[in-house]
């Protein structure tokens, strides 16, 4: 089982700002925990602040990964291109969010990812990623 964790814009700042919403742990530290927790899974991690990079990574996943755990961050709520890319590949995508986007501003209630995702996990902090990996097993 080979999975890609793909994070979108500003998630490289995790653990440095807004800890009340996003927690105090950097994603690279959490990624080490995930690798230890899921030692039977081949996990790769990529992050980009650029929409087109995320589209390219989704396209490149075809035939390489068994699934993608995707937190498209703010692009979740704006990106037709990322939604189209998910539709264009057979790689199953599980959408994750750290926060409960439905408990936040109205503009975070829409997702261009969800209609094309295998499932959605949100609101469990960084644990959302572990739950998403678990869903592939
Ligand atoms: O809750 C999530 O996982 C989000 O995808 C995070 C996005 C937000 O735009 C989505 O509505 C929900 C924002 C990521 C920004 O991450 C930061 C982390 C630390 C400091 C500042 C931003």
């Amino acid at each position: 089982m080979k999975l890609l964790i793909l994070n979108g814009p500003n998630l490289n700042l995790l653990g440095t700002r807004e800890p009340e919403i996003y927690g105090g742990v950097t994603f690279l530290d959490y990624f080490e925990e995930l690798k230890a927790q899921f030692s039977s899974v081949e996990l790769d991690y990529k992050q980009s602040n650029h929409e087109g990079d995320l589209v390219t990574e989704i396209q490149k996943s075809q035939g390489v990964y068994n699934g993608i755990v995707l937190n498209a961050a703010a692009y979740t709520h704006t990106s037709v291109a990322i939604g189209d890319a998910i539709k264009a590949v057979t790689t199953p995508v599980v959408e994750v969010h750290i926060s409960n986007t439905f408990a936040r501003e109205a503009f975070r209630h829409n997702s261009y990812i969800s209609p094309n995702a295998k499932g959605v996990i949100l609101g469990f902090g960084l644990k959302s990623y572990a739950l998403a990996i678990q869903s592939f097993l």
Side-chain angles (χ1 to χ4, degrees):
M1 173 69 61
K2 189 172 175 180
L3 299 177
L4 173 63
I5 298 176
L6 186 56
N7 272 348
N10 295 309
L11 287 166
N12 53 313
L13 299 178
L14 276 180
T16 65
R17 292 181 211 165
E18 299 189 57
E20 65 288 354
I21 304 177
Y22 300 115
V25 178
T26 70
F27 198 84
L28 283 176
D29 284 345
Y30 182 62
F31 185 57
E32 291 305 312
E33 285 180 37
L34 285 176
K35 284 193 291 188
Q37 188 179 343
F38 297 99
S39 54
S40 64
V41 180
E42 203 178 328
L43 285 176
D44 287 341
Y45 166 58
K46 291 178 183 160
Q47 187 274 334
S48 177
N49 292 323
H50 303 278
E51 185 176 15
D53 288 348
L54 297 169
V55 169
T56 300
E57 289 303 334
I58 292 163
Q59 290 179 2
K60 280 174 23 186
S61 73
Q62 181 75 46
V64 176
Y65 290 101
N66 301 106
I68 301 176
V69 173
L70 174 64
N71 186 347
Y75 287 139
T76 302
H77 317 299
T78 62
S79 181
V80 175
I82 294 174
D84 282 351
I86 295 168
K87 214 182 295 181
V89 297
T90 58
T91 319
V93 171
V94 172
E95 175 182 359
V96 303
H97 297 286
I98 297 164
S99 61
N100 176 356
T101 48
F102 293 103
R104 301 182 66 191
E105 304 95 320
F107 68 84
R108 295 186 204 275
H109 298 181
N110 177 59
S111 168
Y112 285 97
I113 312 300
S114 303
N116 306 306
K118 187 177 176 202
V120 183
I121 298 171
L122 57 86
F124 295 97
L126 286 174
K127 195 179 172 194
S128 296
Y129 290 87
L131 294 169
I133 293 168
Q134 187 66 50
S135 76
F136 283 104
L137 303 180

